[in-house]
Amino acid sequence: MGTLEWPWQYSFPPFFTIQPNEETRKKQLDAWKSLVLEYHRSEKLYVLDLREAETSPLFNNASISRKLSTEGILIVLEALQRGGRADPLNKERTRWHIYWHSLAEWGSIIYSWIQESGQLNSVCTLYEIAHTPDQEFTNIDSDVLIKIIKVLEKQNKAELIMFDGNSGVKFF
């Protein structure tokens, strides 16, 4: 588990009620977006399940007996989605990928590691990438990793290879 420093707003009861004033709401959503991203980075989490979110410490501050409603959580997730930092995994919008780095940033991180480790023009399995020790992307969600590789494909830096039920990637 990471060491997250909770922002001051987390102990402020109105933070857990989506504010009606447009300017206040924008500041509140900015704070929520930062908190969600930092929490997921700190805990190395890639998926947020809406059914579990209300009881997680992220959206439920037991010390002040306040929690963000499901509707409020969805508003935060939709704001993250507009900024390219979250995507729903199903049409019901109950499971979401959370990207504490944008997919392009993740691509740069992984591509830099590939260059530094001398693996250009070679093929790696997605498992090998995800299980590389001591990297920020260690244990990355495989579906998120595939999305990152697709970003690298568009940049002509990689090619996703699917073979016999396995997935790999060639880096250029």
Side-chain angles (χ1 to χ4, degrees), residues 53-66:
E54 280 189 1
T55 58
S56 84
L58 176 58
F59 296 109
N60 183 8
N61 185 340
S63 68
I64 60 169
S65 300
R66 295 300 303 251

Side-chain angles (χ1 to χ4, degrees), residues 9-23:
Q9 297 98 322
Y10 189 73
S11 296
F12 186 58
F15 185 57
F16 291 85
T17 303
I18 298 297
Q19 298 300 303
N21 177 282
E22 189 175 329
E23 189 174 319

Side-chain angles (χ1 to χ4, degrees), residues 32 67 70 108:
W32 269 115
K67 68 180 182 177
T70 301
S108 293

